[in-house]
């Protein structure tokens, strides 16, 4: 089943490569960029749901703090009151996790699709001579870390010790692990982050309303 999914991703990559060839600029890097745009557009409805959920949680956050303080010695009562708050506000705290869950198999599939792809020629792009190998100048890993950090910063409204640690650890981890991945995969990650940042900026332009925005 997963091999079929990888084959489908490779077929999509081939399609976009042929598309770039048709306009006289055959390039696998550009094909990966185009494929990333299409995948992010296909996932856009889930992204909307994720961001609306985050905005809804931001709106009810003051009330959540009140409940946590009021029932800090009664976890069972706190859980019930939080469930009521979510229901009355139209907020689904789990909705924000759905796009991440969906994107994980896509990311894994793209890793194998790019690594095992039968390239017609050496997949060079910009300063990279081979997208199937690691970025020799480590520019993409740095961009992966920076865009991951900024994407997190966009959605962080309350700076706690935990969120501060995540904003430091996660980008550094992504940057470090990207040095061992094929440059084509890191290119996908960076482009995906850039598109996500643009989508989040667009949707965070207006303040959230509790009802409707969080559904």
């Amino acid at each position: 089943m997963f091999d079929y999914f990888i084959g489908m991703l490779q077929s999509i990559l081939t399609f976009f490569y042929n598309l770039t060839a048709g306009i006289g600029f055959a390039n696998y890097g550009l094909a990966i960029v185009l494929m990333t745009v299409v995948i992010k557009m296909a996932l856009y409805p889930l992204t909307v749901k994720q961001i609306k959920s985050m905005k809804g949680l931001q709106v009810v956050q003051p009330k959540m703090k009140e409940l946590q303080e009021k029932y800090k010695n009664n976890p069972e009562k706190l859980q019930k009151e939080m469930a009521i708050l979510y229901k009355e506000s139209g907020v689904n705290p789990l909705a924000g996790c759905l796009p991440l869950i969906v994107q994980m198999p896509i990311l894994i599939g793209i890793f194998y699709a790019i690594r095992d792809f039968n390239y017609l020629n050496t997949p060079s792009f910009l300063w990279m001579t081979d997208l199937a190998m690691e970025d020799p100048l480590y520019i993409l890993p740095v961009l992966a870390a920076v865009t991951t950090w900024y994407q997190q910063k966009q959605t962080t409204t309350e700076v706690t010790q935990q969120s501060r640690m995540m904003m430091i650890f996660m980008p550094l981890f992504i940057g470090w692990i990207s040095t061992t991945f094929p440059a084509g995969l890191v290119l996908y990650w960076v482009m995906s982050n850039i598109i996500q940042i643009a989508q989040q900026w667009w949707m965070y332009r207006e303040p959230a309303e509790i009802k409707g925005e969080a559904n």
Side-chain angles (χ1 to χ4, degrees), residues 96-110:
C97 301
L98 183 58
L100 299 176
I101 296 173
V102 172
Q103 289 186 69
M104 281 307 297
I106 294 177
L107 188 64
I108 296 171
I110 288 177

Side-chain angles (χ1 to χ4, degrees), residues 61 65 153 156-165 167:
Q61 199 170 62
K65 287 184 176 180
K153 185 177 182 294
T156 302
T157 57
E158 182 183 7
V159 181
T160 63
Q161 183 67 23
Q162 182 179 6
S163 65
R164 189 180 294 109
M165 289 298 296
M167 285 185 66

Side-chain angles (χ1 to χ4, degrees), residues 27-182:
N27 187 273
Y28 283 107
L30 183 57
I32 291 173
V33 170
L34 294 174
M35 182 175 70
T36 307
V37 172
V38 169
I39 290 175
K40 290 298 293 183
M41 291 301 102
L43 294 177
Y44 183 70
L46 292 180
T47 301
V48 171
K49 194 173 185 66
Q50 176 190 28
I51 295 175
K52 284 184 175 180
S53 177
M54 289 179 177
K55 293 173 72 176
L57 287 172
Q58 291 173 13
V59 172
V60 301
Q61 199 170 62
K63 184 63 177 177
M64 290 168 57
K65 287 184 176 180
E66 291 179 12
L67 292 176
Q68 289 168 350
E69 182 63 27
K70 184 176 181 179
Y71 300 108
K72 60 183 178 181
N73 297 322
N74 190 343
E76 185 176 349
K77 180 66 174 177
L78 173 61
Q79 187 175 8
K80 290 181 180 179
E81 291 296 323
M82 292 286 280
I84 294 172
L85 176 63
Y86 290 145
K87 184 177 180 180
E88 292 178 347
S89 303
V91 173
N92 181 359
L94 299 180
C97 301
L98 183 58
L100 299 176
I101 296 173
V102 172
Q103 289 186 69
M104 281 307 297
I106 294 177
L107 188 64
I108 296 171
I110 288 177
F111 170 80
Y112 288 107
I114 291 175
R115 189 194 67 175
D116 302 332
F117 192 78
N118 185 22
Y119 297 98
L120 297 177
N121 49 56
T122 303
S124 60
F125 184 62
L126 298 177
W127 66 90
M128 293 163 287
T129 57
D130 191 346
L131 289 171
M133 304 296 292
E134 298 86 355
D135 181 351
L137 300 181
Y138 302 109
I139 295 175
L140 281 179
V142 171
L143 290 175
V146 171
T147 54
T148 299
W149 172 81
Y150 191 79
Q151 183 184 329
Q152 288 181 312
K153 185 177 182 294
Q154 272 187 311
T155 56
T156 302
T157 57
E158 182 183 7
V159 181
T160 63
Q161 183 67 23
Q162 182 179 6
S163 65
R164 189 180 294 109
M165 289 298 296
M166 284 299 296
M167 285 185 66
I168 295 174
F169 171 77
M170 185 58 70
L172 289 177
F173 174 75
I174 293 295
W176 171 74
I177 201 171
S178 294
T179 63
T180 65
F181 285 160

